[in-house]
Amino acid sequence: SSDLSSTNDGAKPALSRSAGFARIAAAYVVALAASFVTWLVLYAGHESFGMPSSLEFGGAMDLVATIVVFLFSVALRNSSTYDAYWSVAPMALAVYWAALGEGTMVRVVLVVALVWWWGARLTWNWARTWTGLHHEDWRYVDLRNQTGAGWLGAIVVGLTAAAVTLGLGQFLLAFIRPLWIRLAIALAFVAPAA
């Protein structure tokens, strides 16, 4: 079968669903490789600049991977390139932090298992309904149309909103000590994905 199929409107050829999955997977593999290179660069430079903390390592690795996925979304002209990334990236970061050996084994295994369960469920929900690169989440389309910011502007607005939301959540979790409040904050961030 051909790698091309027509979109719903038949106006332009589109990649098949499997070819779209292959491009998304390639984007994530390149992002993972770029994050590993980031780790190598930071580790190699630690003698000059001091050893970054595990949080700084993870943050830098995730930032570089996010930029790679952004560049793929620009090249593919589809903001939905990010959709599965938000569930795949935490799984990779959970394994990275688990490999550092901080915390008890039971706690590390429990956290990694929960993150992987959440990420796998969310990724599966995306994968089973995603029809291919010709499909873009309606929220990106609305954001682009309602703001008049265009395709690239919609990505920047979406990234800014996501970064502020993520930053706020991380700030609150870092500085609020009562466990019940931390759980409520986590639930507030996770519940919309259910």
Side-chain angles (χ1 to χ4, degrees), residues 117-139:
W117 174 79
W118 170 83
R121 182 187 60 82
L122 209 56
T123 303
W124 172 249
N125 285 340
W126 168 80
R128 68 184 173 82
T129 61
W130 190 67
T131 58
L133 283 172
H134 61 278
H135 170 79
E136 193 169 16
D137 188 290
W138 63 270
R139 290 167 287 202

Side-chain angles (χ1 to χ4, degrees), residues 10-189:
K12 61 180 179 175
L15 292 172
S16 69
R17 184 171 189 252
S18 59
F21 273 125
R23 281 163 178 79
I24 297 295
Y28 297 171
V29 167
V30 171
L32 182 63
S35 69
F36 181 70
V37 169
T38 302
W39 182 86
L40 289 175
V41 168
L42 288 174
Y43 188 77
H46 84 274
E47 292 178 5
S48 301
F49 304 108
M51 182 63 87
S53 70
S54 60
L55 187 60
E56 291 166 333
F57 264 121
M61 292 162 57
D62 188 40
L63 176 64
V64 169
T66 300
I67 290 169
V68 168
V69 173
F70 169 76
L71 293 174
F72 268 89
S73 75
V74 171
L76 296 171
R77 296 193 54 80
N78 188 322
S79 300
S80 286
T81 303
Y82 281 104
D83 291 350
Y85 178 73
W86 302 122
S87 56
V88 172
M91 293 190 297
L93 284 168
V95 170
Y96 164 71
W97 278 309
L100 297 176
E102 297 174 8
T104 65
M105 181 59 78
V106 171
R107 182 178 179 183
V108 168
V109 169
L110 181 61
V111 168
V112 170
L114 288 172
V115 169
W116 270 75
W117 174 79
W118 170 83
R121 182 187 60 82
L122 209 56
T123 303
W124 172 249
N125 285 340
W126 168 80
R128 68 184 173 82
T129 61
W130 190 67
T131 58
L133 283 172
H134 61 278
H135 170 79
E136 193 169 16
D137 188 290
W138 63 270
R139 290 167 287 202
Y140 296 119
V141 175
D142 279 358
L143 182 62
R144 193 169 45 246
N145 293 338
Q146 291 176 4
T147 64
W151 186 85
L152 193 57
I155 290 174
V156 171
V157 169
L159 279 176
T160 302
V164 168
T165 303
L166 182 61
L168 176 63
Q170 293 298 313
F171 176 81
L172 291 173
L173 289 173
F175 291 104
I176 293 179
R177 293 291 166 224
L179 182 59
W180 71 271
I181 296 176
R182 292 173 129 206
L183 290 172
I185 292 167
L187 183 61
F189 279 86

